[in-house]
Amino acid sequence: MNAHEIDYEIFGEEMQYVEVELDPNEGVVAEAGALMMMEDGIRMDTIFGDGSSKDNSFMGKVFGAGKRLITGESLFMTAFYNTVPGKKRVSFASPYPGKIIPIDLSKFQGKFICQKDAFLCAAKGVSIGVEFSRRLGRGFFGGEGFIMQKLEGDGMAFVHAGGTTAIKELAPGERLKVDTGCIIGFEHNVDYNIEFVGGIKNTLFGGEGLYFATLTGPGKVYIQSLPFSRLASRVFAAAPQGGGKQKGEGSILGSLGDLLDGDNRF
């Protein structure tokens, strides 16, 4: 497998985007809706699956697209090609505040495991597939089910994460306990499992869920400080409920507290 060799630059701090530079006939694939802007001379195609399969038969394309359907993603992806002489640029934006992480698959022995919604874009030729868990505990309680995404090939791929990114290099046998939603991805030789938090008080009142993930080295792991699920739950909790009245934020006085804070809405 030989993916296209692309150059890139990442811009921004909290709301980042990645600008990919394409030579003539080079291409990049991305999740639908990730496009931010592109220069004239770039052709956009909607493709079935990730377009990496050597098997161009109908069944080959169906199998490639089916891998994405299992992860809950769309059957289709978008490919962008430079069709004119000279270099052209296309940019893709992160869908929520956080960081875009470049992954050079040639430095990860051709395979990287990530959360199923972390993938943003990749050089044409990178395969976006599924990674099945063989452990029941990991499947039932891991927050990602039995399935995570795997990126395979020898090109560049880009994943996005919420908040700030922490990178940990685990030594052989070293274990790291992580909230299940905070995992971005890890090298394929890192062992991933689920462990019960334990303790009645922790279980009933800890507020951290019943399980956390354990990552065992050797290998590099990527952790995010703000999973989208956590951000979404806080937004939902603060949103107006029922009759359209919002929850008084940061005060036991509710709407009166909002008034004292300068918010005149009732």
Side-chain angles (χ1 to χ4, degrees), residues 25-181:
N25 300 317
E26 281 187 344
V28 61
V29 295
E31 289 288 2
L35 176 67
M36 176 180 171
M37 58 183 172
M38 63 181 181
E39 294 182 346
D40 191 29
I42 291 181
R43 185 183 84 245
M44 181 176 69
D45 286 338
T46 299
I47 60 175
F48 205 43
D50 56 26
S52 65
S53 176
K54 301 294 184 183
D55 184 359
N56 290 319
S57 66
F58 175 76
M59 290 306 299
K61 292 180 179 180
V62 168
F63 179 74
K67 294 187 299 183
R68 290 178 45 75
L69 186 64
I70 291 174
T71 66
E73 304 290 348
S74 169
L75 284 171
F76 299 93
M77 297 186 72
T78 310
F80 301 84
Y81 303 94
N82 181 2
T83 61
V84 299
K87 298 178 182 293
K88 293 295 179 179
R89 297 171 179 83
V90 56
S91 300
F92 305 97
S94 179
Y96 49 86
K99 300 293 182 182
I100 295 176
I101 305 167
I103 302 294
D104 186 349
L105 292 174
S106 65
K107 298 180 180 180
F108 286 86
Q109 300 178 6
K111 184 177 178 181
F112 185 79
I113 310 300
C114 63
Q115 283 198 19
K116 63 185 179 66
D117 59 350
F119 173 74
L120 182 65
C121 62
K124 185 70 166 59
V126 170
S127 172
I128 300 97
V130 295
E131 178 75 6
F132 290 96
S133 171
R134 295 183 177 89
R135 298 181 178 176
L136 289 177
R138 191 160 85 185
F140 285 119
F141 308 114
E144 297 298 326
F146 285 95
I147 301 166
M148 294 184 78
Q149 277 190 333
K150 63 179 177 182
L151 309 177
E152 293 182 294
D154 54 8
M156 291 297 306
F158 301 89
V159 298
H160 60 82
T164 301
T165 300
I167 303 175
K168 300 290 185 181
E169 185 76 45
L170 300 181
E174 183 181 1
R175 297 175 74 230
L176 182 67
K177 299 179 181 180
V178 186
D179 180 272
T180 55

